[in-house]
Structures are given as structure tokens and as C-alpha cells.
Amino acid sequence: MSDRRRLLLIAVIAFLAAIAGAFLGRVFIAGPAPVENELHALLHHELDLDSAQQTRMDEIERRFAVRKQALELELRADNARLADAIQAEHGYGPAVGAAVDRSHQAMGQLQKETLEHIFAMRAVLTPDQAAKFDAAVVKALTAKEP
């Protein structure tokens, strides 16, 4: 095997290992998103929702859970397509670029629908509750990573 081929093979293996490491870290090590943690704790422990609010929140949560699961499955499928493209092209070619773009679209859609979900929950709150909720959202979105 020539030195150039050996170097290319090492580069491809290192690239694939980096992608696998990032994916495994995201799946097994990374905790839930800070926004979800902050808002969940606030909604269920600090805002003293009345029974009508709680019923509406439960319905909002149920609908979002279904949609979130569908979008996460789409992201997993996008990751599989990206892996296939990397395996086929062994570099950043048109198929890899298209797979990345598709993945970014799904990520963007998940972010948009998460925000719609947050605003739907906010609409259930009283003005005082909404002020606390807004503060928690801002805090979660601006918190520095550990």
C-alpha cells in the first residue's frame, strides 16, 4: 500500500471515529437539554398550576412528545444516510453535503416545533406565572455550558 493511500485510509478512519465518538457522546453522555429541565421543574413544582392549567399542559406535552419522537426518528434516519454517504464517498462530496443539509433541516424543524411547544405552554399561564416562565427560558438559553 502506498504512503498516500495509507495516509488517506488513516484520515478516513480518524474521521469516522470522530463522528462515532460525537454520536455516542451525544446519545449516552449528554443529559437532557437545559431548557427542558428548567421548564419541567418550574411547571411542575414552582408555578402552582390549577387543575385546568394542568390538564391543558398535559395535553400540550402529550402532543409534543409524539411530534418530538417523530422528528428524532427522522434525525436518526438522517444520521444513517450521512453514514452511508461518508462510507460511499470517503470525503466531503455531494452526497455527504446533501445528507448534512437534510440533517440540518430536521434539526431546525425540531427547534422550531420545540419553540412552538414552549409558547403553547406559556399561553396557558397567568401573567405572573408567565413572567417566571419567561425568566426560566431566558436563563436556560443563556446559561454557559459546564
Side-chain angles (χ1 to χ4, degrees), residues 7-97:
L7 184 60
L8 180 61
L9 179 61
I10 290 170
V12 168
I13 291 171
F15 178 71
L16 293 175
I19 288 175
F23 176 74
L24 290 173
R26 184 171 178 221
V27 170
F28 295 109
I29 297 171
V35 173
E36 292 178 40
N37 286 342
E38 291 277 337
L39 296 180
H40 180 77
L42 182 73
L43 286 171
H44 297 286
H45 304 292
E46 297 176 33
L47 290 184
D48 297 321
L49 301 176
D50 64 30
S51 61
Q53 287 175 309
Q54 188 61 56
T55 299
R56 289 176 63 196
M57 289 290 186
D58 290 344
E59 178 59 24
I60 291 167
E61 291 286 349
R62 186 194 61 73
R63 282 192 318 257
F64 181 65
V66 170
R67 185 65 186 134
K68 182 179 177 187
Q69 182 179 19
L71 288 167
E72 287 174 343
L73 288 171
E74 187 177 332
L75 282 169
R76 282 192 204 117
D78 288 340
N79 283 340
R81 283 188 284 275
L82 176 59
D84 289 344
I86 289 169
Q87 189 174 25
E89 291 183 333
H90 301 292
Y92 197 93
V96 170

